[in-house]
Amino acid sequence: MSGTRKRNVQRDNLQLPTYVSKNRNGSKKKFRLQPVHFMFLLVGLCIGLIVTSAYDRWYRSRLVYTPFDSLIEHEDDMNKFWGTYRPQVYMGMKTKSPQSLVTGLMWLKQNKKFKGEPPMRHTCEQGDQILKYGWVAHDGVNFGIQDIAERGYMLRTEFVKRVNGDHGGDWTWRISGRQTGKEPITLSVFFYAATDGQGVIQPVVESGPNGLRLTKIQGETEELGKFTIKFPEENSGKKSRYHTATTKAEGLHKIKDAAFMQMQVREEGPKGKENYLYYLTDAPSRIDSKKAKSDVIFHQVTLELPFEIDIVFESGSWTNRRSLLAGDVFTKHLTQLKDKFDKKFEATFPLSDKGYSQGEVDFAKAALSNMIGGIGYFYGQSVVQSVYQSAPVLNWEAPLLTAVPSRSFFPRGFLWDEGFHQLLISKWDRQLSEEVIMSWLNMVNLEGWIPREQILGDEARSKVPAEFVVQRNTNANPPTLFLAIESILQGFDKQSITEQDRKFLKTIYPRLKAWFNWFNVTQSGPVQFSYRWRGRDAKTDSELNPKTLTSGLDDFPRASHPSDDERHIDLRCWMALAAGTMEKIAEVVHPGNSHEIEPYRQTHKILTDNNLLKELHWSADLGVFSDYGNHTDRVYLVKKDFPSSQPGQRPIIRTIRATRTKPKLQFVKNFGYVSLFPFLIQILKPDSQQLHQILQDLKGEDDLLWSNFGLRSLSKRDPLYRKRNTEHDPPYWRGQIWINMNFLAVRALKHYADTPGPYSKLAGELYAELRRNLVQNMYAEYVRTGYLWENYDDVTGKGQGSRPFTGWSALVVLIMSEQY
Ligand SMILES: *[C@@H]1O[C@H](CO)[C@@H](O)[C@H](O)[C@H]1NC(C)=O
Ligand SMILES: *[C@@H]1O[C@H](CO)[C@@H](O)[C@H](O)[C@H]1NC(C)=O
């Protein structure tokens, strides 16, 4: 001990030695450079350069997986500790913690025997062909009501929370079913609880009037302490049958497999009539215990419809509760919470006031509830790759609280969707929105980069094709979080800014600065104040127009031949928005500090300068704003024979792209969403000629972008309108109506209608009509199909793509309530 200390003291007194170089006899001697000296110098220099550049590379390669700063810890609000944070399953709950206990639901219609595994419902799958499902009410904190319409029957899943004690309190689920067809139905409902690498759960089996049954699960985990899950006997009058299994799974993504491993099937009742029962058995788990990460307990209840089951979770740290949250107590709580929800909804989005029917109001409530109820808590590591690395590496472990675009098809965080999501969520619950935004900004690395798709943990990864897992640090995605933050800042004008809001802005500011700078530097374009999306494939010969996934608009046509000469109008407009928002945040966080505020003010001024914008992006002969790059319109796909690599084999036929005319540097001739950006982001001055042109073109004589169902993504006259991008890729942003862009369009129309200017009347007319078209069609499609959709067909108005898509399509609530 003392030795160490001594050494420390010595180090404190350490002085740098000074070296004096002297010739042996002290006299000066003339030194002449010889060729050999140059050689040494050169070699030394080379070695020096190699070492420095190797070090530089090593250093840079580490930046990609180094967080910007220590993670922002959110003060734990125990009211929001438990939640439906597993949007990828039809019904499931967990806590906001890395290795949470999870609970979930599966169900199976009995009687039939299947060749392979029976069609048991668990994770939201489009292939399940469920007629309709989704939250009809969900307040994000205390309760939720979800309807699931299957062929011949309806299920309802409800939950209510009661927060008390130290660990997020109690909750109860009610699962009820009723028949909707003629055929009587026997259903098995499987409730499960599973650990995720820590904690214990144990079944308690007791004998009752119907024989032995699981009556409780008792357990303890680090964050929950002790708890009990109770299964009160249901009072449906009919006899229920019970099965249970206590087993193991390799992880949360393998829970259904674990159930199948414990499952058997037997024939019941008279022979000849199909009457099979799939049931769980409590045989010992066959999973290799070294691989088993989760303990799982299943509770299977088989019953005839109608039925009602309550499942009660009680926290051990709440000792003096007076009633069981089940039966009438549950019903009473739920009714009160639903009442409160309805009142808050009407106060926030006064739709009845605006004359909407009860059906339309319910539609809007479902849209909001699904977005809120679709918020997930994920934990894990992304796979990232830096240009300085030869192979992908794991990112740091981090939690992410985020809404998801689609519970079935995209049940994870997407950077560019999230900004749109938070536009709606922040109107409902600003604090919740701030928490989500902070959570996303925890993903900023030391370079200032955020991966655009967040695939965290086994459950999330199990849903993603391998080629999309790796995130590259050269690739951007529209910084839409600025849209949400800007909207939150606008909210401060109406409600005064609280201490918490101030703290929020202070916390996010340094990260936003880094993020902004990353865009400003790495996505810069060929000429000053132009920008270019990276990530286009210049070598592909199979794409009609090489995709720009990074822009979010995937196959929307850009310059036909990707090159460094490109400049992208949409990215430039996003940067203008970002700079303007940064300026506003800097004004709150560093009032009067011109060192902080000025750079953003300057950049914003330049990026919104209408003349410079025209110079860089206005194509005078086309009369549209556009990208610039190496481009030709005359491209088409053609089948071609390629000699096989195996001698003697037949040639391989591939579809490749051919060009009729040589590409040249020019404005890119496509009229669609990208051309609208200076209008969408409201950069154009109210008296701008270009604004006038855009407004006229929106609904010109030829209906270029206008349809009865919203604005289509690409003009009907465009050569790539509704064209496939490759033989396997159907059109995606080549005509389809997307709601996020339409939201920006109605928002902009309202802005120009409300701002005095020569075109405000025209903007007002278009606004009213576009808004009506969107709402009417989306509502009609919801009634017809039961869902909100990823996008809508521009010819028929039909919903298409994935469903339910209550990510940005849920912005219809804001369009209805005119809150932009
Ligand atoms: C963004 O980049 C431009 C061009 O390099 C630069 O002039 C400007 O100051 C930058 N803006 C900010 C806020 O850093
Ligand atoms: C445009 O693309 C073509 C085909 O790849 C190429 O030959 C040509 O050099 C490019 N032109 C410019 C200006 O980059």
Side-chain angles (χ1 to χ4, degrees):
M1 232 14 203
S2 66
T4 333
R5 180 173 286 187
K6 217 170 179 180
R7 235 175 279 144
N8 280 346
V9 172
Q10 275 176 350
R11 189 178 301 154
D12 286 345
N13 297 333
L14 225 130
Q15 290 202 340
L16 286 176
T18 41
Y19 294 100
V20 186
S21 94
K22 253 190 198 158
N23 211 304
R24 206 175 295 149
N25 52 12
S27 69
K28 281 185 190 165
K29 201 176 151 194
K30 269 220 169 126
F31 181 78
R32 290 190 56 187
L33 278 172
Q34 308 282 335
V36 63
H37 290 131
F38 278 114
M39 276 230 338
F40 277 134
L41 211 69
L42 213 65
V43 170
L45 218 69
C46 283
I47 292 175
L49 271 176
I50 290 168
V51 169
T52 333
S53 90
Y55 171 77
D56 189 55
R57 230 185 132 77
W58 172 82
Y59 175 74
R60 281 166 192 265
S61 72
R62 295 172 60 86
L63 297 181
V64 69
Y65 57 88
T66 310
F68 176 77
D69 200 346
S70 53
L71 299 190
I72 307 167
E73 297 271 354
H74 191 74
E75 282 151 46
D76 268 335
D77 173 2
M78 274 298 148
N79 287 315
K80 288 177 183 163
F81 191 50
W82 272 108
T84 49
Y85 303 129
R86 305 176 68 210
Q88 69 275 26
V89 296
Y90 289 113
M91 179 66 185
M93 278 184 30
K94 70 188 280 191
T95 58
K96 282 196 285 188
S97 44
Q99 292 176 291
S100 167
L101 176 83
V102 305
T103 56
L105 183 77
M106 304 192 285
W107 69 93
L108 174 65
K109 194 175 130 189
Q110 296 281 9
N111 284 356
K112 261 201 170 67
K113 190 175 174 181
F114 297 87
K115 276 223 177 80
E117 287 160 352
M120 187 151 76
R121 314 298 200 199
H122 180 221
T123 50
C124 302
E125 301 292 341
Q126 300 197 147
D128 287 348
Q129 301 283 345
I130 290 183
L131 300 175
K132 171 178 181 156
Y133 67 92
W135 298 102
V136 292
H138 195 305
D139 69 352
V141 187
N142 300 300
F143 89 105
I145 301 170
Q146 177 177 233
D147 279 338
I148 303 170
E150 291 261 37
R151 267 158 247 278
Y153 65 101
M154 282 280 294
L155 276 186
R156 177 166 269 211
T157 68
E158 296 162 316
F159 77 91
V160 166
K161 270 160 59 182
R162 229 174 22 175
V163 179
N164 206 321
D166 308 324
H167 301 282
D170 297 0
W171 50 256
T172 293
W173 291 8
R174 174 166 293 169
I175 315 297
S176 51
R178 68 188 163 82
Q179 203 173 305
T180 53
K182 291 214 179 71
E183 178 204 0
I185 283 169
T186 307
L187 203 72
S188 279
V189 172
F190 304 77
F191 171 87
Y192 65 79
T195 61
D196 186 19
Q198 60 99 3
V200 287
I201 44 176
Q202 275 163 345
V204 177
V205 176
E206 287 170 324
S207 91
N210 294 330
L212 278 181
R213 67 185 282 266
L214 182 74
T215 55
K216 279 184 222 166
I217 295 173
Q218 284 180 328
E220 183 171 1
T221 71
E222 278 164 25
E223 320 88 12
L224 290 171
K226 285 191 169 43
F227 59 84
T228 311
I229 302 173
K230 296 179 175 169
F231 307 106
E233 187 119 32
E234 46 288 341
N235 46 12
S236 66
K238 292 191 191 110
K239 202 177 155 201
S240 309
R241 282 175 294 168
Y242 301 98
H243 296 89
T244 179
T246 301
T247 183
K248 290 184 184 303
E250 278 175 32
L252 298 181
H253 58 303
K254 296 279 188 190
I255 287 183
K256 191 167 163 180
D257 298 337
F260 283 141
M261 283 189 195
Q262 305 294 124
M263 198 170 264
Q264 290 187 1
V265 58
R266 66 170 180 243
E267 196 166 8
E268 303 208 311
K271 283 252 188 290
K273 199 171 160 243
E274 264 207 310
N275 197 1
Y276 290 91
L277 178 75
Y278 284 91
Y279 61 101
L280 292 175
T281 63
D282 218 355
S285 161
R286 283 183 277 133
I287 300 222
D288 179 356
S289 64
K290 273 197 223 99
K291 281 196 190 150
K293 196 173 156 207
S294 300
D295 291 320
V296 195
I297 299 178
F298 292 100
H299 174 59
Q300 176 185 3
V301 188
T302 304
L303 25 66
E304 266 141 48
L305 276 61
F307 69 88
E308 197 175 283
I309 302 173
D310 289 349
I311 297 151
V312 185
F313 176 95
E314 291 186 344
S315 166
S317 68
W318 180 3
T319 47
N320 57 348
R321 69 177 68 68
R322 273 182 296 181
S323 55
L324 186 74
L325 184 54
D328 293 344
V329 179
F330 176 91
T331 311
K332 202 175 126 220
H333 264 81
L334 183 70
T335 314
Q336 280 171 356
L337 289 165
K338 173 74 167 55
D339 250 25
K340 240 172 103 182
F341 170 85
D342 289 337
K343 291 209 178 80
K344 182 177 171 186
F345 189 89
E346 188 56 30
T348 317
F349 310 109
L351 297 185
S352 304
D353 236 30
K354 286 189 181 288
Y356 283 109
S357 69
Q358 192 55 46
E360 287 163 324
V361 173
D362 289 344
F363 158 69
K365 279 182 187 165
L368 172 81
S369 300
N370 264 304
M371 179 173 277
I372 301 260
I375 291 177
Y377 177 94
F378 303 91
Y379 191 90
Q381 294 164 284
S382 307
V383 184
V384 295
Q385 181 160 8
S386 159
V387 280
Y388 301 104
Q389 289 162 336
S390 50
V393 290
L394 285 176
N395 220 5
W396 63 88
E397 279 195 355
L400 180 67
L401 185 72
T402 180
V404 301
S406 162
R407 288 175 59 195
S408 59
F409 211 71
F410 303 109
R412 54 189 173 276
F414 286 81
L415 184 55
W416 104 282
D417 295 68
E418 200 52 30
F420 288 105
H421 298 163
Q422 295 312 319
L423 283 171
L424 174 58
I425 294 173
S426 62
K427 303 283 186 307
W428 177 255
D429 185 340
R430 190 158 88 203
Q431 243 96 63
L432 176 59
S433 225
E434 291 177 358
E435 189 184 346
V436 170
I437 292 171
M438 285 198 280
S439 183
W440 267 94
L441 290 174
N442 265 335
M443 300 301 176
V444 181
N445 75 358
L446 210 48
E447 301 163 309
W449 171 67
I450 306 179
R452 76 187 139 103
E453 199 171 330
Q454 295 286 338
I455 310 160
L456 307 174
D458 296 336
E459 261 193 300
R461 205 163 297 159
S462 67
K463 281 244 171 179
V464 186
E467 73 257 37
F468 294 120
V469 170
V470 178
Q471 304 291 308
R472 289 170 204 283
N473 74 342
T474 42
N475 291 352
N477 212 200
T480 55
L481 289 180
F482 285 108
L483 272 180
I485 296 167
E486 187 204 35
S487 154
I488 289 174
L489 285 167
Q490 273 169 6
F492 294 159
D493 299 343
K494 290 176 210 134
Q495 305 160 294
S496 60
I497 172 164
T498 64
E499 240 351 271
Q500 189 164 354
D501 295 322
R502 221 177 275 278
K503 207 171 141 204
F504 161 69
L505 293 177
K506 237 186 171 131
T507 310
I508 62 173
Y509 181 69
R511 286 158 198 266
L512 288 177
K513 250 175 105 165
W515 196 37
F516 180 93
N517 193 54
W518 180 86
F519 271 97
N520 201 33
V521 172
T522 69
Q523 309 292 302
S524 61
V527 295
Q528 237 210 335
F529 294 109
S530 70
Y531 293 89
R532 176 169 71 86
W533 296 111
R534 304 306 197 265
R536 298 193 72 200
D537 183 353
K539 296 202 187 88
T540 173
D541 65 349
S542 63
E543 294 179 51
L544 186 58
N545 185 286
K547 286 195 291 291
T548 318
L549 293 170
T550 42
S551 75
L553 306 169
D554 296 21
D555 67 349
F556 186 94
R558 307 278 182 162
S560 59
H561 291 66
S563 74
D564 292 356
D565 295 311
E566 267 176 274
R567 39 184 202 254
H568 294 127
I569 173 78
D570 51 337
L571 180 51
R572 192 176 191 279
C573 295
W574 286 123
M575 291 307 292
L577 169 84
T581 311
M582 285 305 288
E583 180 191 337
K584 286 182 204 151
I585 304 172
E587 274 166 356
V588 177
V589 177
H590 298 288
N593 183 340
S594 65
H595 182 71
E596 292 288 339
I597 302 166
E598 242 359 88
Y600 296 113
R601 179 168 297 157
Q602 284 305 326
T603 302
H604 181 244
K605 214 171 135 202
I606 293 166
L607 294 181
T608 52
D609 181 315
N610 279 212
N611 287 325
L612 187 55
L613 177 69
K614 253 170 68 182
E615 216 172 278
L616 289 174
H617 287 288
W618 180 255
S619 155
D621 54 335
L622 302 170
V624 296
F625 283 108
S626 54
D627 289 344
Y628 183 87
N630 193 11
H631 181 68
T632 169
D633 266 351
R634 318 273 316 263
V635 290
Y636 57 101
L637 290 176
V638 57
K639 283 197 193 319
K640 218 178 142 189
D641 287 358
F642 285 87
S644 167
S645 53
Q646 314 283 342
Q649 295 271 320
R650 281 214 237 144
I652 298 161
I653 301 170
R654 273 186 56 213
T655 304
I656 58 159
R657 199 239 332 241
T659 48
R660 276 201 187 92
T661 51
K662 269 190 82 151
K664 62 168 202 263
L665 288 177
Q666 58 175 320
F667 285 111
V668 179
K669 300 175 185 139
N670 299 106
F671 184 53
Y673 287 165
V674 164
S675 339
L676 301 182
F677 263 80
F679 153 76
L680 296 177
I681 305 291
Q682 304 168 18
I683 290 169
L684 298 176
K685 299 263 177 303
D687 59 356
S688 145
Q689 271 304 314
Q690 286 70 43
L691 174 66
H692 190 204
Q693 182 78 57
I694 286 179
L695 294 179
Q696 282 179 327
D697 288 347
L698 279 187
K699 196 183 180 216
E701 281 160 22
D702 310 318
D703 286 358
L704 299 176
L705 298 185
W706 197 267
S707 83
N708 288 336
F709 321 108
L711 294 175
R712 61 172 66 85
S713 36
L714 189 61
S715 160
K716 255 188 343 196
R717 287 227 228 115
D718 195 280
L720 265 53
Y721 171 66
R722 289 173 88 114
K723 286 265 164 58
R724 300 180 82 83
N725 197 39
T726 69
E727 112 191 77
H728 309 290
D729 287 334
Y732 200 39
W733 290 81
R734 294 187 178 169
Q736 287 80 347
I737 295 165
W738 291 82
I739 304 310
N740 59 337
M741 290 292 126
N742 274 279
F743 170 82
L744 291 180
V746 282
R747 188 181 82 136
L749 286 170
K750 182 85 164 87
H751 165 79
Y752 288 113
D754 291 349
T755 314
Y759 315 117
S760 60
K761 186 160 166 282
L762 176 57
E765 287 160 10
L766 292 168
Y767 168 71
E769 202 177 333
L770 179 57
R771 173 168 171 257
R772 196 168 50 237
N773 286 347
L774 285 163
V775 174
Q776 272 177 2
N777 184 57
M778 290 180 73
Y779 176 59
E781 280 299 285
Y782 178 75
V783 171
R784 185 179 74 82
T785 66
Y787 292 107
L788 273 91
W789 292 79
E790 184 177 7
N791 56 60
Y792 293 84
D793 187 280
D794 64 315
V795 176
T796 63
K798 283 188 175 163
Q800 54 189 12
S802 59
R803 62 170 197 281
F805 194 97
T806 38
W808 63 42
S809 293
L811 292 179
V812 66
V813 181
L814 296 181
I815 299 176
M816 292 168 84
S817 65
E818 306 192 83
Q819 302 193 28
Y820 304 113

